[in-house]
DNA sequence: TGAATAGTGTCTTTCAGACAATATGCC
DNA sequence: GGCATATTGTCTGAAAGACACTATTCA
């Protein structure tokens, strides 16, 4: 690797974030309405320039906070898109991140200083700016694959949850029903969740046991 | 994403490539001896700045050609490293690539205009410049995982090969012997290879059937 | 006691892994 | 025949998937 020269023409570097959350029976993603050209008025992924003093992850977290008022998310790097013509103005390389949030503890409307922010169903996405549609498709694919062999669903749930809660998140992401008995057998055999001893109450039915994830780090279970 | 301004301070962007190849019973990686500060005299990964008109993949292929005289490699994006202090001079973000080459059809010594190039055993790596050691460790981990559930080993072999050839590549990468019968059963059941009808000759022993990969694209087999 | 959700066990099939004998070609 | 490598099948244990009934709480 040669020495960087200050006069070397440089591309710009951004981060763009796919923030997924499951609401009711829908996999949703955070989008921002652009109020600047190009693609003014179009929806786009939250994101922005990487500042010189911050890491890529820090940039992603900062943008999520600024544009979506989101804190406390699971975050992992997805892919870096660098086609020379992906931005019509100039060369922009974007490092994309997959983020997951628990929809029950966060309201998108309370943030958003960069434009209108909205949670949009992944089933009927509007036309997106730049190559963001391709990025979203790639992220959904990764999320679907990874939920099958890791504890990544922890990003979508509060600290305490029932096995039915967990199963519903899986079903929404995979887009198909799962057998309750087989699901529980598999989840419990991996040991990624442990019972907290508490039980749900209030419903006119049998209370459910609460569980929590044993580790807050990503664990690959096969 | 805001509008990029030309006066916005930008990081530099490089690509660095992990070119693996299996020689005899050894997993080797291409390294370049730096002839410029910093880390002058140290070994480092091949790589360099991304030019404004080329994609990230094109940059990686160009650097491989320039620094290692390598053509015709399998290439996949690995990870983007962006810690603000990973380069002591200035902010440099590097997009890393995993590349695989068939050692039987390529000689590292014939290339290398950027400094001395060498294939180095991953078992006894020298001290590497920057954060390149961390990158190498990450790449080996990814390669080991991926060889178990994909046809990625195709990058390490010529067009025609025997099942014993293929098994040896797996054994070197995993660092442990594999049962021949189970290996063949599994490989053949995935259907990623098909017999060419030809047989090896010349050895003082029973000839082996040649196979080829059915697809030259990456296939995930489970 | 009816409504609603929680929780559980068996059977079958599939796949991974341990394990050894026969086949073929060349000298 | 002797040597060197190629090729093949069985058994066992584990895990995945199909499938239905009982348990608990509250109104």
């Amino acid at each position: 690797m040669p020495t960087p020269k200050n006069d070397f023409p440089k591309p710009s570097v951004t981060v763009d974030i796919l923030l997924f959350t499951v609401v009711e029976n829908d996999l949703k993603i955070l989008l921002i309405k652009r109020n600047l050209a190009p693609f003014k008025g179009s929806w786009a992924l939250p994101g922005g320039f990487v500042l010189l003093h911050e890491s890529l992850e820090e940039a992603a977290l900062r943008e999520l906070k600024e544009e979506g008022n989101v804190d406390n998310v699971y975050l992992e790097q997805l892919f870096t898109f660098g086609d020379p013509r992906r931005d019509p103005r100039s060369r922009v390389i974007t490092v994309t991140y997959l983020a997951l949030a628990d929809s029950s503890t966060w309201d998108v409307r309370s943030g958003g200083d960069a434009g209108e922010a909205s949670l949009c169903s992944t089933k009927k996405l509007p036309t997106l700016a730049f190559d963001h549609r391709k990025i979203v498709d790639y992220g959904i694919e990764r999320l679907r694959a990874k939920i099958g062999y890791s504890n990544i669903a922890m990003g979508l749930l509060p600290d305490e949850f029932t096995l039915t809660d967990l199963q519903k998140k899986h079903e929404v992401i995979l887009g198909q029903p799962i057998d309750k008995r087989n699901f529980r057998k598999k989840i419990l055999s991996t040991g990624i969740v442990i019972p907290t001893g508490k039980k749900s109450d209030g419903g006119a039915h049998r209370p459910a046991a609460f569980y929590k994830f044993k580790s807050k780090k990503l664990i690959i279970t096969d």
Side-chain angles (χ1 to χ4, degrees), chain A:
Chain A
M1 197 171 71
T3 297
K5 299 168 190 165
N6 284 331
D7 58 352
F8 205 94
K10 297 172 182 175
S12 299
V13 180
T14 60
V15 288
D16 286 308
I17 305 105
L18 300 168
L19 176 69
F20 290 106
T21 192
V22 173
V23 181
E24 322 256 312
N25 288 319
D26 212 2
L27 177 63
K28 291 180 176 273
I29 186 168
L30 178 66
L31 296 177
I32 309 287
K33 190 167 241 174
R34 290 178 58 81
N35 47 28
L36 292 172
F39 299 101
K40 182 171 177 175
S42 286
W43 293 94
L45 293 172
F49 292 103
V50 176
L51 305 181
L52 285 191
H53 60 84
E54 65 186 357
S55 71
L56 300 170
E57 280 209 8
E58 285 164 355
L61 292 172
R62 175 178 54 73
E63 293 289 348
L64 277 178
K65 180 69 179 168
E66 288 176 8
E67 301 192 336
N69 191 39
V70 195
D71 263 319
N72 242 344
V73 295
Y74 170 82
L75 195 69
E76 77 171 40
Q77 196 185 103
L78 195 59
F79 197 79
T80 298
F81 293 84
D83 187 275
R85 289 184 295 189
R86 57 174 296 282
D87 188 309
R89 297 161 296 178
S90 66
R91 182 72 193 276
V92 180
I93 292 167
T94 190
V95 184
T96 61
Y97 279 82
L98 173 67
L100 301 176
D102 166 25
S103 59
S104 65
T105 61
W106 158 64
D107 182 7
V108 65
R109 302 184 189 189
S110 54
D113 63 22
E116 188 185 346
S118 171
L119 278 181
C120 182
S121 168
T122 53
K123 286 185 204 153
K124 32 185 179 178
L125 287 173
T127 301
L128 298 183
F130 306 103
D131 53 358
H132 288 187
R133 178 55 190 259
K134 186 169 72 171
I135 298 174
V136 171
D137 289 343
Y138 183 76
I140 293 175
E141 194 184 330
R142 173 97 140 238
L143 179 59
R144 284 202 175 126
K146 208 149 183 175
I147 204 172
Y149 62 83
S150 77
N151 62 343
I152 197 173
M154 64 182 169
L156 298 165
L157 288 161
D159 285 344
E160 282 199 332
F161 52 87
T162 68
L163 292 182
T164 300
D165 295 335
L166 179 58
Q167 182 176 342
K168 276 187 181 154
K169 304 293 183 187
H170 280 247
E171 288 175 331
V172 169
I173 287 171
L174 297 176
Q176 56 184 317
I178 303 173
D179 181 87
K180 195 200 301 189
R181 291 159 292 186
N182 293 337
F183 179 78
R184 285 164 182 247
K185 216 187 321 176
K186 183 175 173 180
I187 291 292
L188 293 175
S189 77
T190 64
I192 58 174
V193 297
I194 50 180
T196 64
K198 300 180 195 168
K199 285 182 174 272
S200 67
D201 58 3
H205 52 79
R206 176 172 177 175
F210 279 123
Y211 287 79
K212 62 179 179 182
F213 283 97
K214 187 183 281 185
S215 165
K216 294 194 173 181
K217 291 184 183 172
L218 183 72
I219 296 177
I220 305 299
T221 52
D222 65 339

